[in-house]
């Protein structure tokens, strides 16, 4: 455990009179209580991504805030999630949803203060809920004092904090990620008279990780928040930290070396905390971010599995398991202490970078019928509208999310089937306020409705009067109650989080079946069989379960025993878009 | 070893006596076997053609390979089948279903049902063993996984297979045919080419078949990698069609279950198989005479079909005109081909498509099956299969009634789209588009359709409408098969 002696000190740089850069220390604040160290908590956890500004507004300014979020922790504890992931809540001009950080050690005033944050983490921990936060290491806002100093004084202590060049021709092989808005990865700065490098928006200059001072500053930023008590970081846009001539600037060895350094800080100073990499790459490249497999993984504990998500959508539309089977077959083994993070939707668009051009056209045609539904290379919709609000499909998708290999990440509002607003700009369409009640502002805020940071969804199907937490809490048949039950069932079976994954195949290509299996320290086996019908039509499937001959199946949502496994293939029939979760147990265990 | 490669000496050895005693039981057991093709004929007699013990006759379990000849009351040609017979003094309960009969103090049963026997066969292959006339041969270059015992695959039709874990599958060829089985031959050739389009060959069991001119080589079984987590192309195509026909008004490219992407990849796979077969076993160019012979062969088949299927007879001359289209080119490049390609002979695995079962049309004599032919024969056969998939659900509509015209139109759209996607994919790899030789392709497709009309007339009258419709379309189309 961290004994508090390793806190990053307050750092002060005086560049010249009137240009003093002071950064606070964790020493200056109270610290949140800690949960016991558990080595594999992140493998068993259900994560919940919550946008502070969209969850609950405590001070009637139309902006969700940390105190509002703290007030809703009882709801999240009731839902059963284990860890909250907060996208950036740092001081920011908010030109990229907070991913443009202006000060790594300050909370966005609209959200509250560092003290509010510590209180939030403390209260979450009191309920057994962990908290990880986004950290953008690759770049800052152009309003960050580091950048202001860097452009003003090339010779000063921050002069080399960013990637500057006299022309805009270097690193031509690096692709442009935000193709909708950016024409080049270089932008001219009239103050310094040079071009600066940016992999994302032109108001987000990339930090220069070749400068050791930048690496140290970033690690001190990590320490600051870890000292205050958070349980880890989601590291945004990690593949792009370094640039090298003749490369596309992604996944470079230097980037991995820096991540190993971050991990070592965690291992030495903050055991039990985690790093989760956001690397929108093919699984074969992403596994590199887990680090050395021999060492059990010495970079990030977790990484998102990006290509899986669009393929879940494709598989159901195609009524074929192969889009999923393919990507899982192409997914390499990961180190034993590593875990995938999987998701159906998040605050970004449904990313289509990791599909082929044909598949992308297809996905656009299927899921983004209006051009406004597209953003960059993806689709900006929430889960329920993507699935035409079809309850069967919502349940099937969630069952897949909760049972495929990896820790599931639920996006706030999807547990009640919230809708989106495609008429809002950029990715705000999926960031509208949480719908708590059928009352004014959906119970999100008591402010004047005109003051709301983003409008509440008001359409007849997904509007807050139809879709809200209060109404669904009162109906045991609601999607919310269903989600809560499924999370609870998942918690009872460690195989979902820790187990091996073995796809069973079967002659029916519309049915995706797999076994998750784990053995605990006492030798107790937990074996879970998941059978999913990708088709809207009822389907039979014959499964080869001979490895569990004479064992029995118990369906997990109702506890109904199914016939024992015999010599012949096990026959199941599934309704359209139906799924089953079974526990497989030796006969004597019944 | 008791056996002598199938020849029966003057002195009856004990195993022969045992087997002879078992023949009545075999006669009763035979018609219930899925692989017994002559279900519509009445068995006159079953006799033992040859056998080879794999283990000593008193082993537990004991295994013997036997070939039987079955003659029929219709005085038609004999059929010959291979058996792998297991025997034990007492039978474990889970083998009851495989019992053939009692012989002396032993129970004899279908050996492939016995995990211990399939384990033994696998280990004999892996260790490169010869037992009398039986040679258990591992493929060079591959290492067979040691994962016995095997488990019988229940869904099979004309042969019998056992699966070892999810690693390997061994197929016992039920028909006893002299000569190297093309399935084994072509898999071996494709293995040399390191083909990624077939399940790699791991080994084989080869034996001898007694004939008038002495023993001839015969393929008993082959061992291949098992394509785990795969599904066959036929059922996947039907899924797609079902999805289309259930939609109100969407076109095939608009529905979720669109199959064109798969059809395109499948076209690429088949083109790769053809390239690999050409590389491994060579190509030749048929001149005018050779092409004429192909046309004659098709016309001969047409006349045979005309005699039995009135629908063919009615259009006989028009069909013949299209079939002669095969001579449109002044020559034809031929090579070894699959010979019996259809969606059911393809497997979708998580890594892509595989072609399986290179035996050729089992009803044709071996000489025909191994004769080099145009790759367009396989392409045409796949195009036919897309037609079948498109209209299969409508054929099942209801007996005697025709599906509504709008459904037929949509099924046709599905067929056109996927035939076209298949040819596009094929052309990408082959470098030439099969549709560039439209007259030849059309002739091959019509030849196949004529055969199908004959087959359905005899066997599945419900399905007759499918090839009939295609036949009429192919005959009347001014410039070739629609959608291809």
């Amino acid at each position: 455990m961290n004994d508090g002696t390793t806190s990053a000190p307050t750092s002060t740089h005086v560049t010249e009179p009137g240009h003093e850069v002071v950064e606070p220390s964790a020493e200056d604040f109270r610290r949140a209580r800690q949960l016991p160290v558990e080595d594999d908590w992140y493998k068993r956890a259900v994560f919940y991504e919550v946008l502070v500004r969209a969850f609950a507004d405590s001070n009637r300014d139309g902006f969700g805030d940390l105190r509002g979020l703290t007030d809703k922790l009882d709801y999240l504890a009731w839902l059963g999630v284990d860890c909250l992931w907060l996208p950036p809540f740092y001081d920011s001009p908010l030109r990229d949803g907070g991913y443009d950080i202006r000060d790594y050690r300050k909370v966005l005033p609209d959200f509250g203060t560092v003290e509010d944050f510590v209180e939030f983490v403390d209260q979450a921990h009191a309920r057994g809920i962990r908290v990880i936060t986004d950290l953008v290491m690759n770049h800052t806002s152009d309003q960050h004092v580091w950048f202001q100093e860097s452009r003003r004084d090339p010779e000063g202590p921050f002069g080399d904090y960013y990637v500057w060049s006299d022309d805009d021709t270097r690193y031509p092989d690096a692709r442009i990620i935000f193709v909708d808005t950016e024409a080049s990865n270089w932008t001219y700065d009239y103050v310094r008279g040079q071009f600066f490098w940016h992999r994302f928006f032109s108001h987000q200059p990339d930090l220069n990780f070749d400068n050791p001072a930048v690496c140290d500053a970033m690690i001190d930023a990590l320490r600051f928040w870890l000292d205050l008590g958070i349980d880890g970081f989601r590291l945004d846009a990690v593949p792009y930290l370094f640039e090298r001539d003749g490369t596309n600037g992604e996944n470079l060895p230097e980037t991995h070396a820096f991540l190993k350094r971050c991990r070592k800080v965690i291992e030495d100073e903050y055991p039990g905390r985690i790093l989760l990499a956001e690397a929108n790459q093919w699984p074969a490249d992403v596994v590199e971010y887990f680090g050395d497999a021999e060492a059990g993984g010495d970079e990030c504990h977790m990484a998102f599995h990006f290509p899986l998500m669009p393929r879940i959508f494709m598989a159901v539309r195609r009524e074929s398991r192969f889009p999923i089977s393919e990507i899982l077959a192409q997914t390499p083994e990961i180190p034993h202490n590593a875990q995938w993070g999987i998701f159906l939707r998040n605050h970004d668009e449904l990313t289509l970078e990791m599909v082929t051009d044909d598949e992308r056209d297809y996905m656009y045609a299927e899921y983004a019928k209006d051009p406004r539904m597209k953003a960059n290379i993806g689709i900006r919709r929430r889960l329920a509208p993507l699935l035409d609000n079809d309850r069967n499909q919502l349940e099937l998708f969630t069952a897949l999310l909760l049972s495929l290999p990896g820790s599931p990440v639920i996006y706030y509002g999807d547990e009640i089937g919230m809708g989106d607003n495609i008429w809002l700009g950029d990715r705000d369409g999926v960031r509208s306020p949480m719908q708590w009640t059928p009352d004014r502002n959906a119970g999100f805020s008591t402010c004047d409705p005109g003051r709301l940071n983003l409008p509440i969804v008001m359409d007849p199907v997904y509007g807050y009067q139809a879709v809200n937490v209060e109404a669904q809490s009162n109906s045991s048949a609601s999607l919310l109650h269903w989600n809560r039950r499924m999370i609870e069932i998942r918690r009872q079976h460690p195989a979902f989080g820790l187990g091996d994954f073995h796809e069973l195949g079967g002659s029916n290509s519309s049915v995706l079946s797999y076994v998750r299996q784990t053995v605990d320290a006492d030798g107790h086996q937990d074996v879970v069989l998941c059978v999913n019908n990708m088709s809207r039509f009822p389907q039979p499937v014959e499964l080869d379960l001979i490895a569990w001959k004479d064992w029995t199946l118990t369906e997990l949502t109702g506890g109904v025993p199914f016939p024992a496994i015999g010599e012949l293939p096990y026959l199941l029939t599934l309704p359209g878009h139906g799924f089953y979760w079974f526990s497989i147990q030796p006969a004597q265990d019944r | 070893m008791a056996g002598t490669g199938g020849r029966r000496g003057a002195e009856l050895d004990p195993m022969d006596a045992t087997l002879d005693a078992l023949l009545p039981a075999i006669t009763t057991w035979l018609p219930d076997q899925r692989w017994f093709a002559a279900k519509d004929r009445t068995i006159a007699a079953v006799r033992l053609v040859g056998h080879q013990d794999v283990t000593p006759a008193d082993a537990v379990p004991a295994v013997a390979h036997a070939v039987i000849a079955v003659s029929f009351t219709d005085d038609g040609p004999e059929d010959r089948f291979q058996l792998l017979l297991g025997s034990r003094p007492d039978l474990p309960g889970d083998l009851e279903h495989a019992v053939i009969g009692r012989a002396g103090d032993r129970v004899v049963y279908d050996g492939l049902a016995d995990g211990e026997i399939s384990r033994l066969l696998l280990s004999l292959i892996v260790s490169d063993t010869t037992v009398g006339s039986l040679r258990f041969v591992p493929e060079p270059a591959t290492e067979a996984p040691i994962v016995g015992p095997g488990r019988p695959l229940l869904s099979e039709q004309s042969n019998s297979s056992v699966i070892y874990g999810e690693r390997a599958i061994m197929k016992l060829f039920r028909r006893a045919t002299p000569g190297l089985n093309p399935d084994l031959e072509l898999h071996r050739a494709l293995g040399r080419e390191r083909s990624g389009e077939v399940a790699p060959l791991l080994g084989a069991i080869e034996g001898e078949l007694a004939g008038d001119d002495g023993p001839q080589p015969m393929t008993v079984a082959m061992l291949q990698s098992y394509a785990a987590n795969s599904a066959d192309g036929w059922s996947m195509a039907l899924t797609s069609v079902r999805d289309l026909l259930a939609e109100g008004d969407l076109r095939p490219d608009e529905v979720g279950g669109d199959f064109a992407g798969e059809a395109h990849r499948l076209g690429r796979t088949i083109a790769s198989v053809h390239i690999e077969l050409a590389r491994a076993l060579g190509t030749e160019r048929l001149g005018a005479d050779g092409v004429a012979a192909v046309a004659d062969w098709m016309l001969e088949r047409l006349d045979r079909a005309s005699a039995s299927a009135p629908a063919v007879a009615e259009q006989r001359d028009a069909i013949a005109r299209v079939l002669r289209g095969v001579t449109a080119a002044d020559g034809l490049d031929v090579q070894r081909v699959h010979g019996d390609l259809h969606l059911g002979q393809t497997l979708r695995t998580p890594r892509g498509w595989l072609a399986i079962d290179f035996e050729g049309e089992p009803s044709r004599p071996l000489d025909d099956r191994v004769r080099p032919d145009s790759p367009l024969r396989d392409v045409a056969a796949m195009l036919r299969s897309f037609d079948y998939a498109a209209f299969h659900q409508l054929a099942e509509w209801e007996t005697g009634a025709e599906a509504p015209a709008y459904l037929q139109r949509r099924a046709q759209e599905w067929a056109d789209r996927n035939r076209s996607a298949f040819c596009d994919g094929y052309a990408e790899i082959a470098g030439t588009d099969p549709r560039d030789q439209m007259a030849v392709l059309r002739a091959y497709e019509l030849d196949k359709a004529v055969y199908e009309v004959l087959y359905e007339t005899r066997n599945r009258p419900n399905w007759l409408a499918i090839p009939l419709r295609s036949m009429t379309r192919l005959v009347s189309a001014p410039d070739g098969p629609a959608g291809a």
Side-chain angles (χ1 to χ4, degrees):
Chain A
M1 282 294 285
N2 172 34
D3 58 9
T5 56
T6 53
S7 310
T10 305
S11 55
T12 307
H13 295 279
V14 183
T15 54
E16 65 181 68
H19 288 279
E20 206 170 86
V21 177
V22 183
E23 304 199 299
S25 160
E27 303 276 287
D28 306 341
F29 303 96
R30 187 169 78 87
R31 298 180 182 203
R33 78 187 82 182
Q34 285 299 293
L35 285 171
V37 174
E38 286 179 60
D39 284 340
D40 58 0
W41 68 265
Y42 55 92
K43 293 187 180 178
R44 288 176 282 109
V46 171
F47 289 72
Y48 185 90
E49 180 187 4
V50 54
L51 302 191
V52 176
R53 72 161 164 157
F55 211 59
D57 172 16
S58 71
N59 61 356
R60 311 187 60 198
D61 66 352
F63 237 88
D65 46 46
L66 287 164
R67 289 182 180 196
L69 175 56
T70 308
D71 290 343
K72 297 297 185 185
L73 282 169
D74 283 336
Y75 164 73
L76 295 169
W78 174 85
L79 180 59
V81 298
D82 302 290
C83 181
L84 304 180
W85 155 31
L86 270 60
F89 51 85
Y90 313 98
D91 187 33
S92 161
L94 295 186
R95 295 183 64 190
D96 182 23
Y99 285 87
D100 46 339
I101 296 173
R102 181 161 53 199
D103 185 340
Y104 282 104
R105 301 187 188 203
K106 188 177 169 194
V107 170
L108 183 73
D110 291 322
F111 288 172
T113 62
V114 172
E115 286 81 358
D116 291 340
F117 179 77
V118 171
E119 173 65 11
F120 155 68
V121 175
D122 189 63
Q123 288 300 318
H125 284 173
R127 289 161 179 79
I129 298 176
R130 288 184 157 84
V131 176
I132 65 169
T133 69
D134 247 301
L135 191 74
V136 188
M137 303 204 294
N138 182 64
H139 51 259
T140 68
S141 161
D142 58 4
Q143 296 183 26
H144 196 291
V145 67
W146 295 346
F147 187 71
Q148 293 302 321
E149 287 298 310
S150 191
R151 70 200 299 206
R152 190 184 63 80
D153 182 7
E155 303 306 319
F158 298 97
D160 200 22
Y161 258 50
Y162 293 85
V163 183
W164 295 99
S165 174
D166 289 331
D167 61 37
D168 61 355
T169 57
R170 217 171 163 192
Y171 313 128
D173 299 329
R175 70 196 165 109
I176 295 168
I177 293 164
F178 286 163
V179 290
D180 286 2
T181 50
E182 302 300 325
S184 166
N185 285 327
W186 291 103
T187 291
Y188 185 72
D189 180 57
Y190 63 92
V191 175
R192 176 151 160 165
Q194 278 186 305
F195 290 88
F196 64 86
W197 177 250
H198 57 88
R199 288 310 302 270
F200 296 88
F201 292 117
S202 58
H203 55 76
Q204 287 169 337
D206 274 29
L207 285 162
N208 176 21
F209 278 83
D210 277 322
N211 178 355
V214 168
C215 297
D216 292 346
M218 196 51 63
I219 283 176
D220 282 346
L222 297 178
R223 285 197 179 108
F224 176 80
W225 295 103
L226 290 167
D227 284 336
L228 293 181
I230 64 162
D231 300 284
F233 291 102
R234 169 191 178 270
L235 301 177
D236 188 67
V238 289
Y240 313 103
L241 299 187
F242 286 80
E243 300 75 34
R244 286 293 177 268
D245 288 314
T247 73
N248 65 3
E250 300 179 18
N251 314 321
L252 297 178
E254 293 82 356
T255 297
H256 288 291
F258 179 68
L259 289 171
K260 285 192 199 320
R261 190 177 155 197
C262 295
R263 174 66 175 262
K264 186 143 187 356
V265 169
I266 298 271
E267 295 294 322
D268 293 349
E269 302 171 27
Y270 307 98
R273 324 285 183 93
I274 63 160
L275 298 174
L276 162 59
E278 186 225 19
N280 193 350
Q281 308 277 331
W282 290 105
D285 293 322
V286 174
V287 288
E288 301 294 318
Y289 288 95
F290 295 125
D292 183 7
E294 298 282 306
D298 57 2
E299 291 184 29
C300 294
H301 301 76
M302 292 182 67
F304 282 123
H305 196 308
F306 277 90
L308 177 61
M309 176 259 303
R311 279 158 181 278
I312 293 175
F313 285 84
M314 280 187 67
V316 173
R317 272 296 204 259
R318 291 261 192 251
E319 307 198 4
S320 161
R321 70 170 181 262
F322 284 107
I324 296 174
S325 304
E326 261 175 3
I327 199 68
L328 291 175
Q330 289 167 25
T331 300
E333 291 285 311
I334 60 177
H336 68 81
N337 69 14
Q339 173 80 320
W340 291 110
I342 60 175
F343 55 95
L344 296 170
R345 297 297 311 111
N346 62 30
H347 62 278
D348 281 333
E349 65 269 26
L350 195 162
T351 318
L352 299 181
E353 286 173 65
M354 293 296 124
V355 297
T356 66
D357 288 347
D358 275 0
E359 291 170 344
R360 190 176 306 132
D361 291 347
Y362 169 81
M363 289 289 284
Y364 279 150
E366 289 294 328
Y367 290 105
K369 295 183 167 67
D370 186 311
R372 277 191 165 270
M373 297 171 181
K374 297 178 198 172
N376 292 311
I377 304 176
I379 297 172
R380 45 175 162 223
R381 316 248 26 216
R382 267 187 176 274
L383 183 62
L386 273 169
L387 302 179
D388 282 335
N389 211 24
D390 176 349
R391 176 73 183 261
N392 289 337
Q393 286 189 64
L394 282 166
E395 292 186 0
L396 172 65
F397 274 70
T398 306
L400 288 165
L401 174 70
L402 294 177
S403 64
L404 283 167
S407 294
V409 182
I410 296 169
Y411 185 50
Y412 86 94
D414 281 350
E415 75 271 26
I416 55 171
M418 260 172 66
D420 48 35
N421 184 345
I422 60 170
W423 306 101
L424 297 176
D426 189 35
R427 288 165 282 182
D428 282 342
V430 297
R431 298 172 180 185
S432 59
M434 181 71 178
Q435 295 168 194
W436 295 102
T437 69
D439 303 334
R440 174 163 53 112
N441 298 334
F444 161 75
S445 170
T446 54
C447 72
D448 182 339
R451 253 191 109 172
L452 286 177
N453 166 246
L454 286 175
I456 306 277
V457 173
M458 305 229 256
D459 72 55
V461 176
Y462 303 104
Y464 66 97
Q465 282 158 327
V467 176
N468 62 68
V469 170
E470 184 183 286
Q472 294 200 18
S473 303
N474 293 336
S475 160
S476 63
S478 66
L479 185 63
L480 177 62
H481 273 282
W482 184 87
N483 275 308
R484 178 172 182 255
R485 273 199 301 277
M486 295 304 283
I487 292 170
E488 175 59 25
I489 293 166
R490 188 183 195 279
R491 183 193 308 283
Q492 291 163 3
H493 287 275
F496 285 114
L498 305 172
D500 296 339
F501 172 86
H502 174 66
E503 204 182 326
L504 287 174
S507 57
N508 189 333
S509 59
S510 294
V511 179
L512 174 72
S513 315
Y514 44 87
V515 168
R516 307 293 315 274
Q517 187 167 12
T518 190
V519 183
D520 68 16
D522 303 330
H524 177 73
Q525 280 204 63
D526 186 32
V527 186
V528 172
L529 165 67
C530 306
V531 188
N532 305 278
N533 180 5
M534 302 288 134
S535 166
R536 54 191 161 144
F537 304 115
Q539 300 284 341
V541 66
E542 288 187 330
L543 297 174
D544 178 356
L545 300 178
I546 196 75
W548 297 277
K549 186 167 173 287
D550 298 331
W551 289 34
T552 56
L553 294 187
T554 306
E555 199 279 331
L556 288 184
T557 64
V560 175
F562 270 55
I565 299 164
E567 190 79 37
L568 297 174
Y570 200 85
L571 173 69
L572 287 168
T573 55
L574 296 107
H577 291 144
F579 75 93
Y580 296 127
W581 285 0
F582 295 106
S583 168
I584 308 185
Q585 293 157 322
Q588 64 270 21
D589 277 14
R590 286 169 77 192
Chain B
M1 295 298 137
T4 52
R7 284 182 299 277
R8 297 177 63 182
E11 208 177 326
L12 211 58
D13 71 37
M15 190 62 189
D16 271 359
T18 308
L19 289 175
D20 274 335
L22 197 65
L23 285 176
I26 291 177
T27 310
T28 318
W29 170 79
L30 208 48
D32 292 335
Q33 306 311 305
R34 294 183 76 149
W35 45 263
F36 181 69
K39 289 198 168 53
D40 51 344
R41 302 169 74 188
T42 309
I43 298 176
V46 176
R47 70 187 165 84
L48 188 65
V49 176
H51 88 272
Q52 170 64 55
D53 283 349
V54 178
T55 62
D58 55 357
V60 180
V63 194
H65 172 256
V67 176
I68 53 170
V70 183
S71 57
F72 299 93
T73 51
D74 57 13
D75 290 334
E78 274 188 347
D79 276 343
R80 292 182 170 201
F81 295 101
Q82 311 198 51
L83 307 178
L84 266 173
L85 300 172
S87 74
R88 291 170 180 259
D90 304 292
L91 213 54
D94 57 357
L95 287 176
E96 285 298 343
H97 68 280
V99 169
I100 297 172
R102 287 200 78 87
D105 54 358
R106 289 200 155 224
V107 187
V108 181
Y109 55 93
D110 188 356
L112 288 182
D114 188 338
E116 285 190 46
I117 291 179
S118 52
R119 190 205 310 267
L120 171 71
L121 296 172
L122 179 68
S123 68
L124 290 172
I125 293 176
V126 172
S127 54
D128 195 356
T129 318
T130 299
V131 181
S133 63
L134 290 177
R135 292 185 302 120
F136 297 83
V137 199
E139 275 306 289
T142 55
E143 208 172 297
I146 318 286
V147 281
R151 202 162 42 76
L153 183 71
L154 299 172
S155 59
E156 229 176 347
Q157 303 279 350
S158 48
N159 295 307
S160 301
S161 296
V162 289
I163 298 169
Y164 297 94
E166 289 196 333
R167 304 282 302 280
I169 178 166
M170 188 173 70
K171 172 159 71 176
L172 171 69
F173 295 104
R174 283 298 182 173
R175 258 174 206 280
T177 320
L180 181 59
N181 191 305
D183 205 10
L184 178 59
E185 181 196 8
L186 297 191
H187 271 99
R188 240 176 218 158
L190 290 166
R192 285 198 299 274
E193 296 296 320
R194 308 212 162 277
S195 170
E197 285 72 36
V198 294
L201 183 68
L202 303 175
I205 307 175
E206 297 181 79
E208 286 177 353
L209 183 62
D212 297 340
D213 313 321
Q216 295 189 41
M218 173 183 65
T219 308
V220 177
M222 65 186 249
L223 182 72
Q224 277 179 284
S225 284
Y226 180 68
N229 192 8
S230 59
D232 73 278
W234 172 248
S235 58
M236 288 184 68
L238 293 191
T239 300
S240 169
V241 175
R242 193 183 302 127
D243 191 54
L244 171 67
L245 296 183
E247 279 294 345
D249 54 358
L250 295 179
R251 305 178 74 90
D253 58 328
E254 295 168 329
V255 294
D258 184 18
F259 192 69
E262 298 289 0
H264 188 269
R265 281 187 280 272
L266 186 54
R268 294 173 59 99
T269 299
I270 299 305
S272 299
V273 169
H274 283 156
I275 289 171
E276 288 154 3
L277 283 175
R279 218 160 41 209
L281 299 167
T283 59
E284 52 186 289
R285 183 153 177 90
L286 294 184
D289 288 354
V291 179
V294 172
D296 286 347
W297 187 84
M298 287 181 180
L299 290 168
E300 221 173 275
R301 207 148 93 136
L302 170 64
D303 287 334
R304 275 202 306 276
S306 286
S308 311
V312 175
E314 282 166 26
Q315 304 188 63
R316 196 251 161 227
D317 292 345
I319 294 170
R321 255 197 312 281
V322 176
L323 293 182
R324 282 193 202 97
V326 79
T327 60
D330 48 2
L332 201 54
D333 291 318
V334 295
Q335 61 168 83
R336 292 299 298 277
V337 297
H338 183 285
D340 187 27
L341 199 58
H342 53 83
L343 283 162
Q345 306 278 39
T346 63
L347 284 183
R348 175 68 156 95
T349 76
R351 301 189 186 281
W353 287 95
L354 299 179
I356 57 168
D357 204 351
F358 284 70
E359 269 199 275
E361 274 179 45
S363 60
R364 290 169 61 189
L366 185 65
D367 287 354
D368 276 0
R369 290 192 268 151
V370 302
R371 184 182 301 137
D373 204 336
S374 166
L376 291 176
R377 173 174 293 285
D378 284 346
V379 173
M382 276 307 290
L383 296 181
R384 295 296 316 122
S385 193
F386 283 115
D387 262 12
Y388 258 76
F391 288 94
H392 170 264
Q393 194 180 330
L394 300 185
E396 306 271 291
W397 192 249
E398 62 187 81
T399 319
E402 193 161 276
Y406 78 94
L407 287 182
Q408 301 213 20
R409 206 162 48 239
R410 305 185 68 208
Q412 188 62 54
E413 282 175 1
W414 187 94
D416 291 349
R417 175 170 171 78
N418 288 288
R419 287 159 58 101
S420 186
F422 177 83
C423 288
D424 289 346
Y426 189 94
E428 273 179 22
I429 297 297
T432 58
D433 193 320
R435 289 161 297 193
D436 290 348
Q437 289 177 271
M438 189 53 90
V440 181
L441 181 61
R442 198 170 146 204
Y444 273 113
E445 200 187 343
L446 185 54
D447 172 60
K448 180 85 179 173
V450 166
Y451 168 78
E452 289 162 357
V453 169
L454 178 62
Y455 182 86
E456 306 299 10
T457 304
R458 283 179 177 163
N459 299 299
R460 300 183 296 196
N462 267 11
W463 291 32
L464 177 60
I466 301 175
L468 260 189
R469 190 189 157 90
S470 311
M471 192 176 78
T472 307
R473 185 169 47 82
L474 286 161
V475 166
S476 56
D479 50 5

